Amino acid sequence: MTDTPRGDAPQQVVVIGAGAMGSQIGMACALAGYQVNVQDVSADSLTRAESTLRGLMERRVEKGRITAEEVADAFARLSFTTELDAVATEADLVIEAAVENLPVKQEIFRRLDALCPERTILASNSSSFVPSRIAEATQRPDRVINIHFFNPALVMKCVEVVRGPQTSAETLAAAVALVETLDKVPVVMQKEINGFIANRILDAIRTEAVFLLEGGYASITDIDVACRTALGHPKGPFELQDMTGLDIGYASKQGRFEESGDPAEAPSRSLSERVAAGHLGRKTGQGWYRYDTHGNLIGEA
């Protein structure tokens, strides 16, 4: 991993949102040598994010994956703030990793468009909303792009880089350069489509898994076991949804349904019921499975 960003990559990075994705994206950028500000409206969220990141990095040091000096240098480049105005004015790149809600994202991008210098690239981590929908809120559609990390962002190598119909070649090149300096693999989409590549393929698997469950053909556990032991998947579709959050999967399905109008694209009954009940997976203690207070799987919900 480099400690000096490439000359064609942005230098000053702001990450909007201090959740699991936003905080880890910020840490990945700091480890690669970028000056990073992680911004969130909640001071408590920022405190939790920093504490969680320090715990993650301490474990990496203990396992010999990184040196204590490298971690200390990265944290020296990483700041946490509730003040968007102050950090946006210096940003070369902003990566939005806020809640999967289009009006919320559009309002964030509208504000960023007014605050950031003309040179600033505005990126979203969303896979639920394509760049053109977000760019509508700005006066710089040529500098709006999706840079979609996968969970957990510090570990997963793939990053989908998605250009909208008005995204410039220069913006695309800068986004790809950033991803490469993070020691990750950029996968470029030259044409936008909701869900992008990996999640569209994964969604087809999830849709079939729910069909088998709701039809009474097999249990949640047995479907997951089949995917792990027959198909070589590290996690079954239900286990993976619990890890990433059922609300994220629901938002992705709802976004595709709103775009296409096809009832087959809508969230399933089983998923909708769980999200409505607040059973969002491991982070709430229950999703398709139940978990103890330490996040260990207990059994089917």
Side-chain angles (χ1 to χ4, degrees), residues 282 285 289-299:
R282 188 180 297 173
Y289 295 96
R290 291 178 294 113
Y291 301 86
D292 64 21
T293 55
H294 300 289
N296 299 310
L297 191 150
I298 298 173

Side-chain angles (χ1 to χ4, degrees), residues 232-259:
H233 295 181
K235 290 184 180 294
F238 295 110
E239 294 171 309
L240 185 57
Q241 286 182 78
D242 273 2
M243 184 184 79
T244 58
L246 271 64
D247 51 331
I248 303 300
Y250 179 89
S252 180
K253 291 287 288 185
Q254 188 64 25
R256 290 177 62 175
F257 172 57
E258 291 173 357
E259 182 179 272

Side-chain angles (χ1 to χ4, degrees), residues 19-294:
M21 286 301 295
S23 61
Q24 289 200 26
I25 291 169
M27 190 76 236
C29 291
L31 286 167
Y34 294 94
Q35 294 294 326
V36 183
N37 287 286
V38 175
Q39 187 275 338
D40 198 288
V41 295
S42 168
D44 288 343
S45 293
L46 293 166
T47 300
R48 286 194 299 270
E50 182 174 5
S51 175
T52 299
L53 287 175
R54 289 193 180 278
L56 285 172
M57 300 317 296
E58 284 174 9
R59 288 191 288 276
R60 287 193 169 197
V61 171
E62 291 170 358
K63 294 178 180 179
R65 295 176 181 172
I66 192 171
T67 68
E69 183 180 4
E70 288 173 320
V71 170
D73 288 346
F75 273 109
R77 292 187 287 266
L78 181 62
S79 300
F80 300 85
T81 181
T82 58
E83 301 299 322
L84 179 58
D85 294 25
V87 295
T89 57
E90 300 297 326
D92 295 309
L93 169 70
V94 180
I95 303 175
E96 171 272 318
V99 62
E100 285 296 284
N101 178 289
L102 183 58
V104 170
K105 290 182 184 295
Q106 288 177 328
E107 180 54 35
I108 290 172
F109 274 74
R110 188 175 294 111
R111 187 177 175 194
L112 289 169
D113 191 45
L115 290 171
C116 293
E118 184 178 345
R119 71 177 187 278
T120 307
I121 294 170
L122 305 181
S124 177
N125 183 56
S126 176
S127 68
S128 300
F129 304 108
V130 294
S132 60
R133 296 301 309 278
I134 296 170
E136 293 172 0
T138 78
Q139 300 298 313
R140 61 179 85 192
D142 59 315
R143 291 186 293 284
V144 175
I145 195 166
N146 277 43
I147 304 177
H148 176 229
F149 293 78
F150 290 84
N151 188 24
L154 278 169
V155 176
M156 298 294 284
K157 287 289 189 180
C158 182
V159 179
E160 293 173 323
V161 181
V162 187
R163 72 187 307 177
Q166 295 178 275
T167 304
S168 70
E170 293 76 15
T171 296
L172 178 64
V176 168
L178 171 92
V179 172
E180 290 176 340
T181 62
L182 303 185
D183 194 29
K184 296 187 182 296
V185 180
V187 175
V188 175
M189 292 196 71
Q190 296 288 350
K191 183 179 178 181
E192 66 179 25
I193 186 171
N194 189 282
F196 310 156
I197 299 172
N199 280 342
R200 289 187 71 88
I201 294 171
L202 183 59
D203 184 62
I205 296 172
R206 288 174 174 170
T207 297
E208 187 63 24
V210 170
F211 169 79
L212 293 170
L213 173 68
E214 292 185 347
Y217 296 102
S219 69
I220 292 170
T221 300
D222 284 337
I223 293 168
D224 277 348
V225 169
C227 289
R228 290 199 311 272
T229 59
L231 303 180
H233 295 181
K235 290 184 180 294
F238 295 110
E239 294 171 309
L240 185 57
Q241 286 182 78
D242 273 2
M243 184 184 79
T244 58
L246 271 64
D247 51 331
I248 303 300
Y250 179 89
S252 180
K253 291 287 288 185
Q254 188 64 25
R256 290 177 62 175
F257 172 57
E258 291 173 357
E259 182 179 272
S260 68
D262 182 355
E265 300 272 23
S268 68
R269 172 182 53 80
S270 297
L271 177 61
S272 298
E273 289 175 351
R274 284 168 170 79
V275 171
H279 301 322
L280 307 181
R282 188 180 297 173
K283 62 187 176 184
T284 62
Q286 183 172 326
W288 299 104
Y289 295 96
R290 291 178 294 113
Y291 301 86
D292 64 21
T293 55
H294 300 289

